[in-house]
Amino acid sequence: MSRATSFRFQAGNSFFHRLDPITRLVWVLGVSLLAFGAYIAWLQIVLALAVLATALLLARIPLRDVLRGTWLFGVACISFCLIQTFTLPGHRIAFRILGHPIYAESADYALASALRIYTIILSSLIFVRTTDPRELAIGLVTQAHMPYRIAYALFIALRIVPTIEEEIRTIRAAQAVRGVGRARGIGGRFAEARRYAIPLLVGSLRRASTMVMSMEARAFGAYPTRSFVDQPHMRPSGIAVCAVMLLLVVVWYTALGLGYVHTVYIVSPT
Amino acid sequence: MEGALAQDAALVELDDVSYAYEGETEPVLRSVSLRVWPGEFILILGPSGCGKSTLLHLLNGTIPHTLKGTLTGEARVCGKRVVDTKVASFATDVGTVFQDPEGQIVNIRVRDEVCFGLENLRRPREEILARCGESLSQVGLEEFGDRSVFDLSGGQKQRVSIAAVLAASPRLLVLDEPTANLDPQGMAEIFAVLHRLNRESGTTVVTVEHRVDELADRVSRVIMMEGGRIVFDGPPREAFSRRRGARRSAEGHGHDTRAGDAGVGGTRDADADVVPPSAWFPQASELALAIDDASQADPVRDVPLNVREAIAHARTRLGTGSTAVPPVASRARPPGRPLLSVRGLRYGYERSRPILHGIDLDLSSGGIVALCGRNGSGKTTFARLITRINQPPRGAIWLEERDVAGMEARDVALSIGYVFQNPDHQFVTDQVWDEVAYGLRVRDYADEAVRERVDEILGITDLLVYRDRSPFSLSLGERRRLSVATMLVLEPRLLLLDEPTIGQDHERAQELMGLMVRLRERYDTTVLMITHDVRLVAEWADRAVVIGDGHKLFDGAPIDMFADEALMDAAGLLAPPVFSISAALAHDCPDAGITPTLSLPALAHAVATARCAREEALP
């Protein structure tokens, strides 16, 4: 038994859990578009705080799980932010560190870039935590009219990720007792990947084969369509979320196109 | 008309069927002929690789449609020719349950999994929900519809798998070692469900299973396979009254057999009185044969299949044999050198959810210790801590007076070997010889020393002949032995075995444990085996440790563990038949000199030489 990953569906009754999967998909796509369209820090800060509030209040994900699921990305984002701040050129010196000039434009852009990545990761966490992969597959079939075989292939891929993670942990443990240490450097990582590959491949093929036989034996693929006991429907709350996201994206990109937005900076010149 | 099968017609009709997997020249099934009739409960036994699972794959069309190959002969299931019928078209005829519940469950919520098949069949919502409720009820999981499969025990997952195929109301239920990964109580749950389905719903059941003690008296017919052929086909009493032995030929015959028909079934060749040594037998039957040997009585005609019948049979044989010295030596061993000391071990992957709560344990050299407990009780976590796969807390685990928390994992690996349940996980090279040499090479042993030790270990484990083969090309039993060899080469003081008998036939399980005993004698190695197999514990362990919900519940002699009913219940264990039978006889006939025992020969001898006359003991 090992540590459960935060990036895994957990049943619940939050506002986000009650939304249909397509609405959640629209929301996460909308957040990503907004994040990609903002190059200045204050906008990314607002967006990140809004997504964090969504995680805590609307998706009811405990702060501990948010931190556990995103800390690694957080560390990467901070490193990324620092490197960019120190290395990107600029015009106005905001302050100096050990005599090295830190430019206001560079700091602002670096902060925006780092937060953009973090916001997208956090929104993905909300989506994965609140979306049963099967529900998503059904939503794609019944709401987005995707062929069910393709939707189920996507579902199985998502469903099997935790199993493969567990398998890798087991292989790593099994090989550690052989005296195989964790690899360092590119060459070492390559050798490690090669050692894991065959047992992982053998195990995955065995599991995949069992799953295929199990599905076929229960008539999967027998007909061009299938019925669904529970079909998700977009409720008024879902329509509202989709409308708000659509509005925000349209307004934002319109403003961006007209040059109204990138004029207010936190640490760059006004 | 195809598909319109009469109620009493055979569900399975195989005539001279042979099959070879795609790209293989050797057939896995050879001239198999078989009839399965409605309402039968059939147990298929045989050594690993004998064709049992392949036969099951044929029964739902997976062979030849999903698993391609060369199929000859005539195969019809539920009136449909297998070669002409797609797998999906068998969904309402044949329900298939596999060994690994993780691999076969597609959905996350229990109800979704049970509805999955009927949704594929485009049934109306109302019908699907009604059938879902009925199926969950049939397996005793009425209240579990909204639960996540991740939150279920192994036994519950397997019951979900059964419910998922029952939803389509199949006439034939086919199961491939459905209890292999389950603890004894999980196994008992599954067998009870199958028994109820067969008796109350008339579902025909065909199952491959190694754990026969709890199944033997529930099945109506036993089929034994060897080398791709059916070598025995008949009622269970006839099957288990035969002697295990090397067959002079692997030739056999399938029969069109209605279970229970006197004199029908069984082989009629020169090997008719023996069955493959690899077959697991119910201990109740083995005991009856041993008692008859010890008392020199004519072999019992209706061999017992369960504990109750074995007790009744033993009573008829009390005091009928010689008074020779019992054939079994005491298993008690003098304590060896201190090896591992665990003090107040607390651990959890998350601080808020501890898995181990203050475990104390001392291990000395040269013993075979069984570590028992339910699935998820903390056994594997414990093993990972003492091998330092997971970082243990400081001062909790001492290996020969060194704190394991301060040692490197590779240094711990010099003293402690860990054979994982799946041997494939541990292989890191492309050749058997290199695989065994790997542990020595990474520790910078001289080439000459490596050569000597590798050849010696390959000899001990009977793998020298495969030295140039890929580890992945060996059979499961051979891979398991290779996995042990990779640990043995380092001459570990402590060897951990995770479920050593899962998926192993009787002969290979005995071989593996025989190897462990040789190890103990030769190197004074301590063997710690994590296991659910109570017969393994009874037969081979000097000591048993039970972990339940992260606490050590018991540490002592296996016989004392089996005698503690509350402990057995808490740990999800079932006593082996030999203990239950001997305890019952000791209780019923206190002056007979019979005491509870885990040794089958000792019990047989005690019964044959009992001091009371059998008339006194008869109820």
Side-chain angles (χ1 to χ4, degrees):
Chain A
M1 195 182 296
S2 61
R3 187 194 298 266
T5 173
S6 289
F7 270 87
R8 178 166 161 179
F9 168 66
Q10 290 208 347
N13 195 33
S14 69
F15 173 78
F16 246 67
H17 281 92
R18 291 196 300 273
L19 291 175
D20 65 286
I22 297 302
T23 298
R24 272 178 245 137
L25 194 60
V26 168
W27 177 83
V28 79
L29 288 173
V31 168
S32 301
L33 285 172
L34 290 174
F36 275 116
Y39 306 105
I40 49 179
W42 75 267
L43 276 169
Q44 289 291 358
I45 291 171
V46 170
L47 192 56
L49 288 174
V51 173
L52 183 62
T54 305
L56 299 176
L57 302 175
L58 298 181
R60 299 268 177 209
I61 302 174
L63 181 61
R64 186 193 60 202
D65 286 8
V66 170
L67 295 175
R68 206 176 66 186
T70 59
W71 74 269
L72 201 60
F73 301 103
V75 170
C77 288
I78 291 168
S79 310
F80 183 58
C81 180
L82 290 175
I83 290 169
Q84 283 202 320
T85 303
F86 275 89
T87 55
L88 286 179
H91 299 293
R92 192 170 74 86
I93 297 173
F95 51 91
R96 289 178 183 272
I97 295 178
L98 298 174
H100 186 84
I102 302 297
Y103 297 102
E105 300 91 335
S106 314
D108 196 281
Y109 182 81
L111 186 59
S113 301
L115 281 174
R116 177 186 303 135
I117 298 167
Y118 188 78
T119 299
I120 292 169
I121 296 294
L122 186 56
S123 61
S124 304
L125 173 71
I126 296 170
F127 179 75
V128 172
R129 283 277 292 223
T130 56
T131 306
D132 180 345
R134 179 179 182 274
E135 191 193 14
L136 175 63
I138 296 173
L140 290 172
V141 176
T142 59
Q143 295 178 283
H145 304 291
M146 182 184 278
Y148 81 87
R149 291 185 185 88
I150 296 174
Y152 262 84
L154 176 69
F155 159 57
I156 298 291
L158 291 173
R159 157 85 172 79
I160 217 158
V161 166
T163 311
I164 290 179
E165 283 177 346
E166 187 61 39
E167 186 96 343
I168 291 173
R169 276 195 288 268
T170 305
I171 292 170
R172 186 175 291 153
Q175 296 193 354
V177 298
R178 301 285 315 277
V180 180
R182 292 302 307 278
R184 291 191 177 88
I186 295 173
R189 290 282 177 181
F190 181 76
E192 186 179 57
R194 186 172 167 271
R195 272 198 308 273
Y196 292 169
I198 295 178
L200 188 64
L201 194 66
V202 169
S204 300
L205 285 176
R206 196 172 286 139
R207 277 178 193 278
S209 164
T210 303
M211 191 160 282
V212 165
M213 289 192 286
S214 169
M215 291 172 77
E216 281 195 342
R218 286 183 284 159
F220 185 79
Y223 300 101
T225 59
R226 74 194 293 276
S227 58
F228 293 98
V229 168
D230 297 314
Q231 291 195 25
H233 295 286
M234 196 176 282
R235 295 178 182 163
S237 54
I239 294 170
V241 169
C242 290
V244 168
M245 292 312 295
L246 186 65
L247 187 68
L248 283 173
V249 169
V250 169
V251 168
W252 177 244
Y253 275 86
T254 305
L256 197 65
L258 297 174
Y260 291 152
V261 280
H262 284 151
T263 53
V264 183
Y265 292 84
I266 292 177
V267 286
S268 78
T270 55
Chain B
M1 193 176 72
E2 186 142 304
L5 189 66
Q7 283 299 309
D8 60 347
L11 294 178
V12 175
E13 301 163 87
L14 305 183
D15 290 307
D16 202 24
V17 168
S18 295
Y19 172 76
Y21 283 101
E22 195 172 28
E24 301 282 334
T25 52
E26 281 293 305
V28 184
L29 296 177
R30 298 164 188 264
S31 302
V32 170
S33 295
L34 174 71
R35 293 287 184 276
V36 175
W37 303 94
E40 286 195 299
F41 191 158
I42 297 179
L43 169 64
I44 303 180
L45 295 172
S48 307
C50 71
K52 306 184 295 288
S53 297
T54 306
L55 179 61
L56 297 191
H57 287 319
L58 181 65
L59 300 187
N60 74 346
T62 297
I63 287 175
H65 299 291
T66 307
L67 301 174
K68 310 282 186 200
T70 309
L71 179 69
T72 60
E74 183 65 22
R76 298 175 78 87
V77 175
C78 294
K80 300 171 182 172
R81 284 191 80 217
V82 172
V83 289
D84 299 333
T85 312
K86 296 285 184 193
V87 179
S89 302
F90 280 117
T92 53
D93 299 310
V94 184
T96 308
V97 178
F98 300 90
Q99 184 185 107
D100 176 17
E102 307 287 346
Q104 69 194 300
I105 291 180
V106 178
N107 298 280
I108 295 172
R109 198 171 53 157
V110 169
R111 188 159 64 95
D112 298 336
E113 182 66 12
V114 179
C115 294
F116 181 78
L118 293 178
E119 288 176 326
N120 293 330
L121 291 165
R122 301 195 292 192
R123 298 286 168 80
R125 183 173 189 273
E126 293 68 29
E127 182 192 337
I128 294 175
L129 289 176
R131 282 298 307 148
C132 172
E134 287 168 24
S135 304
L136 285 174
S137 170
Q138 282 178 300
V139 299
L141 294 176
E142 298 92 329
E143 309 298 324
F144 283 66
D146 289 324
R147 297 269 288 271
S148 162
V149 291
F150 293 121
D151 298 333
L152 304 184
S153 69
Q156 288 167 339
K157 282 181 190 165
Q158 209 51 307
R159 281 151 71 191
V160 170
S161 300
I162 294 174
V165 298
L166 286 180
S169 308
R171 298 184 63 189
L172 177 63
L173 192 56
V174 170
L175 306 100
D176 192 357
E177 290 194 57
T179 69
N181 298 314
L182 307 186
D183 59 36
Q185 286 194 353
M187 171 197 71
E189 286 172 18
I190 298 302
F191 289 162
V193 165
L194 296 180
H195 184 62
R196 201 166 58 239
L197 285 171
N198 178 250
R199 286 293 165 88
E200 295 174 8
S201 310
T203 307
T204 307
V205 181
V206 177
T207 184
V208 168
E209 187 54 75
H210 285 315
R211 298 161 91 168
V212 294
D213 282 323
E214 288 75 22
L215 202 54
D217 61 339
R218 291 173 164 171
V219 301
S220 58
R221 184 171 154 200
V222 172
I223 290 173
M224 293 186 184
M225 294 185 69
E226 191 174 25
R229 296 178 192 277
I230 293 176
V231 295
F232 175 85
D233 183 351
R237 288 190 200 284
E238 191 181 335
F240 299 127
S241 64
R242 284 154 196 259
R243 310 276 167 172
R244 279 202 197 97
R247 298 174 64 79
R248 286 183 289 276
S249 72
E251 298 290 320
H253 311 282
H255 296 276
D256 300 350
T257 310
R258 280 189 187 266
D261 286 358
V264 180
T267 55
R268 287 168 176 74
D269 58 17
D271 294 315
D273 56 341
V274 295
V275 292
S278 48
W280 288 99
F281 264 41
Q283 213 171 29
S285 307
E286 288 182 327
L287 175 66
L289 297 177
I291 289 174
D292 290 346
D293 273 350
S295 60
Q296 295 169 336
D298 289 336
V300 60
R301 288 188 62 190
D302 286 335
V303 69
L305 297 178
N306 57 33
V307 168
R308 185 176 46 78
E309 292 178 2
I311 293 169
H313 169 263
R315 282 173 170 160
T316 67
R317 296 286 193 263
L318 283 172
T320 57
S322 69
T323 54
V325 177
V328 178
S330 166
R331 213 188 290 172
R333 292 172 56 85
R337 291 164 290 139
L339 178 62
L340 186 85
S341 177
V342 180
R343 288 286 169 271
L345 176 59
R346 294 173 191 279
Y347 186 80
Y349 293 101
E350 294 167 33
R351 195 168 290 174
S352 59
R353 282 193 286 182
I355 294 170
L356 299 175
H357 306 268
I359 301 277
D360 292 322
L361 186 72
D362 287 301
L363 292 177
S364 304
S365 59
I368 295 183
V369 182
L371 184 59
C372 306
R374 290 179 187 275
N375 290 342
S377 61
K379 304 185 299 293
T380 301
T381 301
F382 179 73
R384 284 173 170 236
L385 288 169
I386 62 177
T387 47
R388 213 196 161 288
I389 291 171
N390 293 346
Q391 172 71 42
R394 292 207 169 273
I397 303 175
W398 298 85
L399 176 63
E400 295 178 313
E401 301 184 351
R402 292 179 68 190
D403 187 352
V404 170
M407 296 172 70
E408 290 289 325
R410 56 190 290 164
D411 294 333
V412 176
L414 270 175
S415 297
I416 305 180
Y418 188 174
V419 180
F420 275 56
Q421 195 172 323
N422 182 350
D424 296 349
H425 286 155
Q426 296 193 277
F427 297 147
V428 292
T429 72
D430 302 327
Q431 281 192 333
V432 167
W433 199 93
D434 289 340
E435 197 61 50
V436 180
Y438 182 87
L440 299 174
R441 283 178 172 156
V442 296
R443 290 172 179 84
D444 300 325
Y445 278 63
D447 287 349
E448 187 58 30
V450 172
R451 256 194 306 279
E452 273 180 26
R453 289 177 74 165
V454 171
D455 286 344
E456 181 192 0
I457 294 297
L458 286 176
I460 291 173
T461 50
D462 293 332
L463 291 170
L464 208 47
V465 68
Y466 303 125
R467 54 179 292 153
D468 298 325
R469 291 259 300 266
S470 162
F472 294 99
S473 71
L474 303 180
S475 72
L476 177 64
E478 289 155 356
R479 296 203 305 279
R480 178 65 97 165
R481 288 211 304 278
L482 176 58
S483 187
V484 172
T486 61
M487 297 298 153
L488 290 189
V489 76
L490 298 172
E491 296 184 13
R493 308 286 308 283
L494 172 63
L495 186 62
L496 268 86
L497 298 174
D498 194 353
E499 293 292 357
T501 54
I502 276 191
Q504 302 266 342
D505 59 45
H506 178 267
E507 194 175 21
R508 287 190 181 142
Q510 296 292 315
E511 276 175 11
L512 185 66
M513 291 315 297
L515 178 61
M516 292 303 116
V517 171
R518 292 206 299 280
L519 257 185
R520 182 180 62 179
E521 304 308 329
R522 185 164 179 167
Y523 300 112
D524 206 23
T525 305
T526 301
V527 178
L528 179 63
M529 50 188 189
I530 300 170
T531 185
H532 291 137
D533 186 341
V534 289
R535 280 177 65 169
L536 183 79
V537 178
E539 199 169 346
W540 298 96
D542 312 310
R543 176 179 161 195
V545 176
V546 179
I547 293 181
D549 291 330
H551 297 274
K552 189 174 80 175
L553 303 180
F554 177 85
D555 185 353
I559 195 163
D560 295 332
M561 175 181 79
F562 292 126
D564 188 339
E565 287 181 19
L567 171 72
M568 298 291 284
D569 194 43
L573 296 169
L574 299 171
V578 66
F579 178 81
S580 305
I581 296 164
S582 58
L585 290 171
H587 177 266
D588 295 348
C589 192
D591 299 326
I594 297 173
T595 54
T597 179
L598 300 179
S599 164
L600 199 140
L603 177 57
H605 181 270
V607 168
T609 59
R611 286 191 293 275
C612 66
R614 65 178 152 166
E615 288 75 14
E616 292 172 34
L618 287 171

